[in-house]
Amino acid sequence: MPKNSASEPRQNQRPALALLSDEDLRLCLRKMYLIRKFEEAAEASYVRGLIHGTMHLSIGQEASGVGAVTPLRPTDYILSTHRGHGHCIAKGADPKLMFAEFFGKDTGYCRGRGGSMHIADVAGGNLGANGIVGGGLPIAVGVGLSSKMRRSGDVCVVFFGDGAANEGAFHEALNLASIWRLPIVFVCENNQYGMSMPVARAMAVPNVADRAAAYGMPGVIVDGNDLLAVFEAAHEATERARRGEGPTLLECKTYRLRGHSKSDRNLYRTKEEIEEWRRRDPIVRFREELTSLGCLTPDASNAIEAEAAREIDAAVEFARNSPQPDPAQLEQNVYA
Amino acid sequence: MPKNSASEPRQNQRPALALLSDEDLRLCLRKMYLIRKFEEAAEASYVRGLIHGTMHLSIGQEASGVGAVTPLRPTDYILSTHRGHGHCIAKGADPKLMFAEFFGKDTGYCRGRGGSMHIADVAGGNLGANGIVGGGLPIAVGVGLSSKMRRSGDVCVVFFGDGAANEGAFHEALNLASIWRLPIVFVCENNQYGMSMPVARAMAVPNVADRAAAYGMPGVIVDGNDLLAVFEAAHEATERARRGEGPTLLECKTYRLRGHSKSDRNLYRTKEEIEEWRRRDPIVRFREELTSLGCLTPDASNAIEAEAAREIDAAVEFARNSPQPDPAQLEQNVYA
Amino acid sequence: MPDAQTAEREITYAEAVREALSQAMEADERVFLLGEDIGVYGGAFGVTGDLYHRFGPERVIDTPISELGIAGTAVGAAITGMRPVLEFQFSDFIMLAMEQIVNQAAKIRFMFGGKATVPMVVRMPGGSGTGAAAQHSQSLEAWFAHVPGLKVVQPATPYDAKGLLLAAIDDPNPVLFFEHKLLYKTKGIVPAAPYRVPLGSAVVRRLGSAAPVVATSIMVTRTLAAADALAGEGIDVEVIDLRSLRPIDKPTLIESVQKTGRLLVVYEGVQTLGIGAEISAIIAESEAFDFLDAPIRRLGGRDTPLPYNPILEKAAVPQTDDITAILRALVAGG
Amino acid sequence: MPDAQTAEREITYAEAVREALSQAMEADERVFLLGEDIGVYGGAFGVTGDLYHRFGPERVIDTPISELGIAGTAVGAAITGMRPVLEFQFSDFIMLAMEQIVNQAAKIRFMFGGKATVPMVVRMPGGSGTGAAAQHSQSLEAWFAHVPGLKVVQPATPYDAKGLLLAAIDDPNPVLFFEHKLLYKTKGIVPAAPYRVPLGSAVVRRLGSAAPVVATSIMVTRTLAAADALAGEGIDVEVIDLRSLRPIDKPTLIESVQKTGRLLVVYEGVQTLGIGAEISAIIAESEAFDFLDAPIRRLGGRDTPLPYNPILEKAAVPQTDDITAILRALVAGG
Ligand SMILES: Cc1ncc(C[n+]2csc(CCOP(=O)(O)OP(=O)(O)O)c2C)c(N)n1
Ligand SMILES: Cc1ncc(C[n+]2csc(CCOP(=O)(O)OP(=O)(O)O)c2C)c(N)n1
Ligand SMILES: [Mg+2]
Ligand SMILES: [Mg+2]
């Protein structure tokens, strides 16, 4: 997707803009809105009893998902987490099929078998959300290895949280990826908490990226609420990976504005803290930046937002009207 | 054990000597000889068909085991590895009961149930060798936590190899120990290989100790074939742990002169490399240092060596003459 | 009016677990809790609740997300004199800790010739029914019932949740304590004072003359509902709550089969090699064999990962109607 | 003189495994090997041998000691078009990788609604008899036979080692391939050309009129020895090699029990909830139930971790004499 921009001055302000056309930028904004509306609609559907189970919303984290995936080609891969709606939409998934999955319908990406925590869009290169914290990290090593063995040139972006960085899987995966110089970008979405556990109590170093040194790989820290900053770092890491120079650990500092999941009573953080981060809303910020750079008029942004809302409404409708899976097919697809 | 030495000049040469009396030094030499003779006798017993199973010899690594354990008090703990005879003897175990265990006899430390890979001297503070690479690391966290909760002041030294440093268990254990500031010394015996895998192919950083930074703990590298160097670093780490300042990662660079185990055909390393390290034999080196410092006459060292040999011979005899366990008691001690 | 100690109140299963934890911690300062988000958050299912505020962060220890590490922490603490009670947020996550639980905790005492004990408890919720899908809904207890050195219990009632947990904490061996998500909010009579339900004992929940059903965990509730339905048809089913999967209370099972000549085992775990396989085999090799006059039936989970969709999810594990139907057939003919 | 391809030679079980690996790699460039010390070292038990020199370090990949990581590596490679064959040095170490194997590999296809396949094989030696003690001697196959989405095989002969491994590598599902340490050096006739033994099929190794014995892995050898001994006493035992633990070949078992009216299951894993529990339950709920005229017997591993001492170690798992004795009793009366 990246292509050279014609506008000299703005890329001086933000180097990322050298790589992103106005069209690209609008698409990023559109995706962020799609994610936000998707999750707000998911919340509303839950309240209305249309969705069961639990859900993990990434509201407030849209920039890291979209920014990290934007440098990717369609054939590149991502591996996602329990908080994965954003990654999925960023990689180009169809919200209709995502909502259908969320509603447990046969038309969903996983035919209603997976639900929110397991949405996968394999054809689109999203190898799945994961219910296991850190579960995608070792899988990414295999995806990277396979890409290298098949000489496909494809890169794998694997998302994980700050909490996941304390799992053994993190350590083994980063080490393997590094010694084999695999085309992987490890994207840590550090949203300050693993459920109720603040990062500072879960580890004795200030940044997850500080751990990159233990694997001899670059560790990069960016403001995860700044889409262009995330994009720029991810672009560099992706290019590096594609050149065969190995993996990068990219840490996006961000924040989840909602609770961890439906059971969260927010006892471990203050309203003020949440408010403080709400003021750094990545969508508002990006939108304002685009406006001030002259890439987008307020009207155009409003139109993007409204269109995203319509698409999500249609997706919910599609999901509601889709058929339930047939219980007679329960044991289908246990085996190939 | 450490006490002030009267001899000013020698502690200027080696600061460790400020803490070790002549008696202490002789005990260190004695333990190193006991280990060497123990393992040579184990080899011989194996060849003679007296021992079955496999064994992992630490010949060439005696300084790291003895050096790391010497700063400990009797109530302090160690956790050991599959290559654990040295640690066990260093912590004060009785070679008779160790050999009996090796011979699978009812008089052994584990009544013949554990064998070489599971020798434990719980009363002496050795909480066991371990058949699982890295298996002791998470256990050490619990030992350290328990020590802290019980306010016993006891320190836990946990040994592991360079290969173990790539297990997830390493990562989780070091992180937990660090955030909880536990009284633990993580002693990595880097003998250059995990079975056939050279360190440089198994990780992308030159030293295991480089990983300490990922946990906000000190990482210290010493010449693992230099007993005094190991002792000094271990002493500092132990004191730090006892003061409640948290864990240390101590890496001892050493070499195993024997194959990994009985199945090893040494295809992954050269004779020259082995020869090169043989010249750095930690026992010879320590003994010569003691002689040159005037702590020990050659005759006295010879006597220590001979006495160790006799003790080991007696241990083998004890083991040979000990009774086999009674198969009727097979299911004993499955439960308490 | 009974005083606070002898009072029997209706409390939930989750409250019963919490009460056991709290009484064990009050009685023995070696007991402490370890787990992810068990502190201020009060546990993913709210089970530890206010214990953090009552006992402080030194005894209710919030851990990073490091299942293998914290399992090892429990092992190390247990062998050096403490009595850790570990919580996994979902029993599915124990897979990350199998090494410490099965290779270490279960074997240390044996491998060391009896020179150490490993008194630790691992609490965790299993089971489906909350739409949590394949990685958060499994019933894995049968794996651990296969492992010498472990004990395994599955309380089905608030009363047993408290009594078995206190017994598990007392026990000098590693005990795996499988709670059930759907049971957390169910209520039952629970004495306020501490009491123990012995590990290894099944209990007859309903006496009857027809085919006994051996059930575990939430399947006890569903089986009792099925038995009530069948009572109206004049079928009088005996219901046994297995409670303890290792060791298994063989005499209670054998006796009941000898009385009725039939057997159905109902459990949520995958049918193949689930606990029903063992119960069936125990009966088929026992003196009760000669009393059998119909095939031994098992009704376990279907041969599939747990699906997200609620209709499929229900279809994947035994429901009351399934139990009723199979029992009717079993009593009728075989 | 037969040409090289049609030749049948006597080779060892380890060689048969190696030959399957090598033929699969020659035939399909997606197949590659992954494991600790499988390269220059040739594998902890020498199974991969010279494959590293023949196929190079890109297809015979030596890994660091990171069981969870390499299991995930296999999963990721499998879902993106490769066909990884992973070796664990001892099956005991799979405990570190349960998460990837059971939560991921076994469920991905189902969770994704059939949109992905996970064609991977995990090879590993199980079993006792080498004095390797409690953490290197377990027989854990029953755990995996409990997991929908996995296939599980246990070859007992060199012929099956090769044929089942080639079939496992072809299979689009994750297959756990349990080798046995004590079988590695046993020899048998193995055709040189590639061939497949279908997963899910048991085989009758010895036809007989008396109690069939269903045995697995090395217990097949011991049972055949016991059967030979009993033949001298006029007892003609039928011996079935189960070969595949998931799926299980129920028709073959049922048919054999219907013929003889009795059943013994012999296996090395812990008896409780080992594969014998499932076989017993399958028969007890099947149409063969009515043919049974004696209790179904199981002879599995004793209820203990594996001890180091060789006398105890032998006592902990079934030996030929144990099988002979129990069969004699079973045929005599029940
Ligand atoms: C192995 C495992 N342990 C625990 C959980 C329960 N859990 C789900 S999300 C979560 C917090 C994860 O924190 P982080 O990695 O920072 O991601 P975030 O939720 O903040 O996006 C926990 C503990 C799980 N799903 N898997
Ligand atoms: C979890 C696990 N994986 C693999 C093995 C097999 N194994 C035993 S020792 C060893 C090498 C260990 O290397 P290192 O940690 O460096 O210790 P060293 O043998 O060099 O002392 C291996 C691979 C094991 N015992 N446990
Ligand atoms: Mg987080
Ligand atoms: Mg090593």
Side-chain angles (χ1 to χ4, degrees), chain D residues 6-333:
Chain D
T6 57
E8 296 198 335
R9 307 96 356 114
E10 274 222 60
I11 60 175
T12 67
Y13 184 98
E15 285 161 351
V17 170
R18 188 182 318 134
E19 188 162 281
L21 293 173
S22 132
Q23 291 177 347
M25 289 173 80
E26 273 160 12
D28 185 346
E29 62 176 18
R30 297 171 306 172
V31 177
F32 71 99
L33 315 185
L34 199 64
E36 295 160 15
D37 306 289
I38 62 169
V40 180
Y41 199 97
F45 287 88
V47 176
T48 48
D50 61 348
L51 296 180
Y52 174 85
H53 298 289
R54 291 177 48 206
F55 294 94
E58 298 220 336
R59 294 186 73 195
V60 181
I61 304 179
D62 260 335
T63 73
I65 314 175
S66 309
E67 286 77 11
L68 181 62
I70 61 180
T73 302
V75 174
I79 57 176
T80 53
M82 301 298 290
R83 299 212 159 234
V85 182
L86 177 62
E87 173 179 303
F88 288 126
Q89 291 192 353
F90 288 76
S91 66
D92 315 69
F93 309 156
I94 199 172
M95 285 190 216
L96 285 159
M98 296 296 278
E99 203 294 285
Q100 283 294 326
I101 290 169
V102 179
N103 277 332
Q104 313 290 343
K107 296 178 172 52
I108 280 178
R109 181 174 182 76
F110 182 87
M111 288 191 301
F112 292 2
K115 307 279 173 62
T117 50
V118 193
M120 60 184 268
V121 177
V122 184
R123 289 181 44 241
M124 65 211 132
S128 64
T130 67
Q135 295 174 335
H136 287 71
S137 304
Q138 294 165 87
S139 298
L140 298 169
E141 56 283 346
W143 276 355
F144 303 95
H146 183 49
V147 179
L150 300 179
K151 296 190 175 182
V152 182
V153 293
Q154 260 189 308
T157 66
Y159 182 93
D160 279 356
K162 177 172 173 183
L164 284 171
L165 185 50
L166 282 169
I169 295 173
D170 280 354
D171 198 272
N173 300 291
V175 181
L176 302 201
F177 192 88
F178 283 91
E179 300 166 10
H180 197 292
K181 300 173 192 86
L182 293 185
L183 290 176
Y184 278 137
K185 290 185 179 157
T186 60
K187 287 196 162 189
I189 301 278
V190 175
Y195 59 95
R196 271 82 186 157
V197 171
L199 310 183
S201 70
V203 62
V204 178
R205 293 262 175 234
R206 186 181 198 287
L207 270 166
S209 51
V213 186
V214 177
T216 57
S217 191
I218 195 161
M219 293 302 154
V220 174
T221 320
R222 294 191 188 154
T223 302
L224 287 169
D228 284 348
L230 290 168
E233 303 173 21
I235 300 173
D236 188 19
V237 174
E238 180 147 316
V239 180
I240 299 173
D241 176 356
L242 188 63
R243 295 203 290 206
S244 181
L245 280 72
R246 172 170 273 270
I248 289 176
D249 181 356
K250 298 185 188 181
T252 299
L253 308 183
I254 291 171
E255 195 185 313
S256 181
V257 174
Q258 282 176 334
K259 191 171 74 176
T260 62
R262 315 205 161 195
L263 176 63
L264 169 66
V265 196
V266 184
Y267 52 109
E268 181 168 354
V270 172
Q271 177 162 312
T272 304
L273 270 162
I275 191 66
E278 182 60 27
I279 305 287
S280 173
I282 287 173
I283 296 303
E285 73 195 356
S286 76
E287 57 269 35
F289 173 80
D290 289 326
F291 294 77
L292 284 173
D293 46 44
I296 302 173
R297 299 300 308 269
R298 293 183 288 170
L299 181 61
R302 295 277 290 276
D303 211 9
T304 163
L306 273 306
Y308 167 70
N309 173 283
I311 300 168
L312 297 183
E313 189 186 21
K314 277 219 169 68
V317 303
Q319 304 297 329
T320 302
D321 287 350
D322 304 320
I323 305 170
T324 314
I326 202 170
L327 268 173
R328 206 179 276 127
L330 180 60
V331 172

Side-chain angles (χ1 to χ4, degrees), chain B residues 86 94 136 193:
Chain B
D94 182 343
Y193 295 90

Side-chain angles (χ1 to χ4, degrees), chain C residues 152-220:
Chain C
V152 182
V153 294
Q154 261 189 309
T157 64
Y159 181 94
D160 279 356
K162 177 172 173 183
L164 285 171
L165 185 49
L166 282 168
I169 295 173
D170 280 354
D171 199 272
N173 301 290
V175 182
L176 302 200
F177 191 88
F178 283 91
E179 301 166 10
H180 197 292
K181 301 173 190 83
L182 293 185
L183 290 175
Y184 278 138
K185 291 185 178 156
T186 61
K187 289 197 160 186
I189 301 279
V190 175
Y195 58 94
R196 271 83 185 156
V197 171
L199 309 182
S201 70
V203 61
V204 178
R205 292 261 175 233
R206 187 182 197 286
L207 269 167
S209 52
V213 186
V214 176
T216 56
S217 191
I218 195 161
M219 293 301 155
V220 175

